[in-house]
Each structure stands twice: as C-alpha cells, then as structure tokens.
Amino acid sequence: MSRRVLVTGAGGFIGHHLVTFLKAKGYWVRGVDIKMPEYETSQADEFEVRDLRDPDACRAAVKGIHDVYHLAADMGGIGYITSSHAGITLNNTKINVGMIDAARDFGVERFLFASSACIYPQYLQLQPDVTPLKEADAFPADPEEGYGLEKLYMEKMCQYFTEDYGFATRVVRFHNVYGPLGTYDGGREKAPAAICRKVALSQDGGEIEIWGDGLQTRSFMHVDDCVEGIYRIMGSGYDKPLNLGTDELISVDGLVDLVSSIAGKRLSKRHDTSRPQGVRGRNSDNSLLREVLGWEPRILLAEGLVPTYRWISGELEAQSSLQAPIPAVAAE
Ligand code: NAD
C-alpha cells in the first residue's frame, strides 16, 4: 500500500504544486483547503473543501493519514499581512492548533509545518546588505507582527509536541517562493508575481509603480525547488527548524529590471515610499540545510522567472481577450 499523505492548503500556490509532486512520486494524496485550486485541477486522489479553523474539520482531514504536510494559512504579500494582524493571528492560531492536535490524536506518523522567514528578528534585517539569517538567529525574538509571531509560536508547539509526546515534526522556514500558478492579483500576491503583472500590463517605454524605494533586498526560491526541499526535509528525520530558500540576494529594483528584460520592455520606475515594504533586507543562510540534506535550492532567479512571467502574462492576455467588447455584428 502506498503511504497516505495529507496536504493542507492544497488549493493554494505551494500546496497545489506539492500535490502534483507527491502524486508523481506515487503517494496516495488527500488535499484539503477552504477553496479549490484557482488555475488548474488538483491531481489529489481526494480533494476536500473544509475550513480548518474548525477542530472537527482538522480531525476529519487527518483520518487514515501517515504524513501531514501542513501548509494551510491565512497569508499574502506584505500589504496583506501588515493590514490585518488580529484576523491573521486568530485564523492561523485556530488552524495550527487544530491540525497538530488532531494529527497527534489520530496517530499521524510525521507532521511538517510550513513556517516562514518572517519569524526572524526584525533587528537583524535593517540593512539591504543583510547578513544571511541562520536558524539559530530566531531568538531573542522580534518577529514580523501577527503573521511572523504566530508562525514562531507554532514552531515552538511542534518542538514541545516532539519533546513531550514523541510526535515527529518538521519545521520549514520558507524564504519568498515564486513560480507559475501563484496568485498574481487581488491583494494577496507577493512581490515577484506583482512585478510580473505590472510589467506585463505596461507598454514598452512606460512606467511602473514600486512599493518602497526599491533598495530593499530579498532572496527568491522557485516553487519546484520548494516542493523538492519540503519532500527531502520530511524524509530527513531532522526535527528542528530549517531554512528553505536561496541565498541569491537581489534588490526589488533589480527584480524589476530582471522581469523587464525577460519581457523585452524598457520601463521606468516610480517609487511609492508610503506603501509597506517589510524589512530592509533578508537572505537565507543555507549552511545547515546543506549539512542536513546535502542539497539546496538550485534554480537561478533569471531562469525561474522566465516561465513565471510567461504564465502571468498569458493569464492576463486570456483575461483581456475574454473582457474584450463583443464586436458589433455588421449590418447585412
Ligand atoms: P497560499 O495562500 O496560496 O496557500 C495557503 C492556502 O491555505 C490557501 O489556498 C488558503 O485557501 C488556505 N487556507 C486559508 N485559510 C484556510 C482555512 N481556514 N481552512 C483551510 N484552508 C485554508 O500560500 P502559499 O504561498 O501556497 O503558502 C503556503 C504556506 O507556506 C503557508 O503556510 C505560508 O504561510 C507559507 N509560506 C509561504 C511563503 C511564500 O513565499 N509563498 C513564504 C513563507 C511561508
């Protein structure tokens, strides 16, 4: 019998890609989410629409499951996560507590939690040429308000469940993930998708709006590397937090230039410093990841952005052709 796995957040960006990856590896997969995937049909053997804030929904989701990949979360880009601290903290606390409790009660063998680089102290991220963040840097804590604080709390809960109950957990700190089939509009999109959308919608020689002064830096990981890393970490037996990201640091202006060159457009930038821009600089230190897995993400940004840009511009073109006015029928 193949192992039965659950992916929560299977209607979302990374969860949907993870379901496809696990199916290709031969697993039996149940996907659960409050919504269906937006852009493609799920390959999950079972896809259940459930609200995981409800503890009974968590219990139903984990029934008969060996491994849980727990990715469901109320989240979005910097504009979204800074706009609603109370709602995000409340929703994610309910989802996470319900899921780990149900998974342990129902005899789940391994439980992987999708954490975030947002747990890292803000005082270490004040410069664009930031020192890459190591796992041990998490404390003394000063995480991103709301979203980051709740992720850090859940990381500790995983640790306590392992120490006190012998429950096998994995904690993965993702650093900005991008790729095709991710949200690119509506307010929850993250920087690479938002920039691809803005570039795709601009005329050559035009201007685009950038949040912040454009000098803030990040590293970005392609979703194919992300799902492979998640899978390797689940199999590793390593039960402490691990970074999963690239250490290829780039400024937001650099990211815009890269997308513009992929699109073959020359664009000028208008910086809006009244918009949220998050920490000044953030990068991943992958020393521990390399030591534990003998592997690290390898897709270069310039490579991974090509299919991402093509997918987003294709989606926008399809939408605009759907919205195009119906031509008047010529009079006979
Ligand atoms: P996403 O928003 O596309 O996916 C999250 C999914 O969770 C969504 O489909 C959403 O509908 C679902 N969800 C929200 N509330 C729910 C509820 N009450 N019940 C059931 N499902 C619910 O985000 P993503 O980018 O795929 O992120 C997946 C995980 O990785 C999240 O835990 C996120 O915090 C973490 N993460 C992502 C990034 C990134 O760059 N994408 C970075 C750091 C951490």
Side-chain angles (χ1 to χ4, degrees), residues 8-15 32-35 50-53 70-76 95 114-117 147 151 174-178 183 188 190:
T8 72
F13 169 46
I14 304 171
V32 172
D33 201 295
I34 203 167
K35 66 169 174 68
R50 295 186 187 279
D51 183 345
L52 295 171
R53 288 172 297 185
H70 176 41
L71 275 67
D74 183 6
M75 69 95 65
I95 295 170
S115 187
S116 164
Y147 174 76
K151 289 276 191 202
F174 299 159
H175 290 248
N176 302 302
V177 187
Y178 71 95
T183 304
R188 285 186 187 238
K190 310 192 96 188

Side-chain angles (χ1 to χ4, degrees), residues 31-46:
V32 172
D33 201 295
I34 203 167
K35 66 169 174 68
M36 302 294 285
E38 272 165 70
Y39 310 111
E40 204 179 68
T41 307
S42 177
Q43 290 183 26
D45 296 277
E46 278 179 17

